[in-house]
Amino acid sequence: MSHKRPARRIQGVEKNIWLEFTKMAADYKPVNLGQGFPNFSPPDFVRQAFSDVVSGEDCLMHQYTRAFGHPNLVKILAKLYGQLLGQSIDPFGDILVTVGATQALFTAFQALVDEGDEVIIIEPFFDCYEPMVKMAGGSCVFVPLRPKGTPDKPALSSGDWALDPDELASKFTERTKAIVLNTPNNPLGKVFKREELQVIAELCLKHDVVCISDEVYEWIVFDDNAHVKIASFPGMWAQTVTIGSAGKTFSATGWKEAVARGFQRELDVLGRPESYFFQLPRQLQEKRNRLAECLLSVGMRPIIPEGGYFLNADISALNVELPDPADDEEEPYDYRFAKWLIKTKGLATIPVSAFYSPGHRKDFASYVRLCYVKEDSTLEAAEKILKEWHLTK
Ligand code: PMP
């Protein structure tokens, strides 16, 4: 890529230790105690659950889920973490499911950090925090955990590393937006004690600072240490974004990559009739044609797509008299039409002006988008609705 392309705010974050060391591990095939992933299998019950879902009858399990997390998942998370925190959790308002904790961290920084904001990071830290803060336009302020133990012990403990409360307090300024806490910590393994968390919580409350609490190792705590959630401290529920990781929790850090086998199979049969990539467009083309014909016959002129999932249809010739917009005078015609179609005819489409910038929406408000990637029975039901409506007009 040309050196001019990347945005200024990511300058200095191009280098990444994982890129370098993952490549070296692939090249040299060492005994790999480097990257943090188990080389034993996830527990049987989790693998069984995965295979049940994948091979089960419910074909919707393979399609879009609720964007903020599958209802079954957010409900069980709310129940479990509600119990752990002694706090009622709204599964549909308080929980967001992401692709790994990595995406949760990225999303949290993007959502919270403005240009010029400061984020306090406790050293040593999981390296991705720094570039993520920078990508959000913020700057990092570091504060170290320092060894306080007696150096003549045969082995030290991660508990011997601690924050200096005064030093930590001195990092909080007018510009501090968030502090990142990681307990148990990567790489030290430190499990923050209740008293240590209390200091952080008090500073967060005093300065109205958000605590982004990375707790991906929450279930991996040894000896008589206990994982304490900072969100459980008085006042801190509203001040904390708690991040967990199913990958770490169930020893399955790679499930994000399960599609690789599908691509391997397709590569083996590429261009041949048994290939899914060969069959899929042919199957969908028939569906496209079927829907296009129906739309033509009811006066919704289709724009025949040359590819993809969708077909846009012109609704202007229908001359539907729509009720006045209830609460939004500015609402474009296609929005009102699409809502009316759902409510009165039971057919859902998407207004195409939603795909334009606000200033241009009004000029492109006479199309709706229809998806033809559906069972024939669904297309048939849509045809029935449109044709019956056409007859009564
Ligand atoms: N936070 C910490 C502290 C980590 O060590 C890691 C993974 N090494 C992550 C977040 C990312 O977790 P995930 O695999 O769920 O994206």
Side-chain angles (χ1 to χ4, degrees), residues 99-102 105 126 129 182 186 214 216-217 245 247-248 253 256:
V99 183
T102 308
L105 285 161
F126 177 46
Y129 304 149
N182 174 210
N186 176 7
D214 179 343
V216 301
Y217 301 104
S245 164
K248 304 280 186 203
T253 58
K256 291 163 267 191

Side-chain angles (χ1 to χ4, degrees), residues 70-148:
H70 190 282
N72 287 350
L73 178 55
V74 292
K75 279 194 230 157
I76 192 67
L77 289 172
K79 212 166 169 183
L80 171 66
Y81 285 90
Q83 198 171 309
L84 293 172
L85 284 157
Q87 157 91 40
S88 133
I89 296 181
D90 171 6
F92 299 105
D94 294 333
I95 295 181
L96 174 68
V97 175
T98 57
V99 183
T102 308
Q103 193 191 21
L105 285 161
F106 184 83
T107 312
F109 291 124
Q110 288 293 323
L112 293 169
V113 176
D114 272 317
E115 199 78 25
D117 282 349
E118 289 177 357
V119 175
I120 299 174
I121 294 178
I122 300 167
E123 295 170 298
F125 62 96
F126 177 46
D127 65 307
C128 78
Y129 304 149
E130 188 186 8
M132 286 182 184
V133 169
K134 283 188 177 163
M135 285 176 87
S139 55
C140 301
V141 174
F142 299 103
V143 57
L145 286 161
R146 298 181 194 277
K148 58 169 180 149

Side-chain angles (χ1 to χ4, degrees), residues 7 21 95 112 161 172 214 228 237 250 261 263 302 308 341 370:
F21 280 76
I95 295 181
L112 293 169
W161 265 255
F172 283 73
D214 179 343
V228 180
W237 167 251
F250 293 118
R261 284 172 190 230
F263 281 110
L341 195 62
L370 301 104

Side-chain angles (χ1 to χ4, degrees), residues 330 332-334 352-353 356-367:
E330 296 285 295
Y333 180 79
D334 59 344
V352 168
S353 68
Y356 288 87
S357 58
H360 290 153
R361 266 182 208 151
K362 277 238 144 50
D363 304 334
F364 296 95
S366 60
Y367 290 90

Side-chain angles (χ1 to χ4, degrees), residues 320 337 339-348 381-382 384-386 388-390 392-393:
V320 179
F337 174 84
K339 288 179 182 175
W340 172 86
L341 195 62
I342 292 176
K343 285 185 196 158
T344 63
K345 306 290 171 199
L347 178 64
K384 192 159 172 270
I385 290 172
L386 288 170
E388 274 173 14
W389 170 38
H390 188 61
T392 58
K393 278 207 312 160

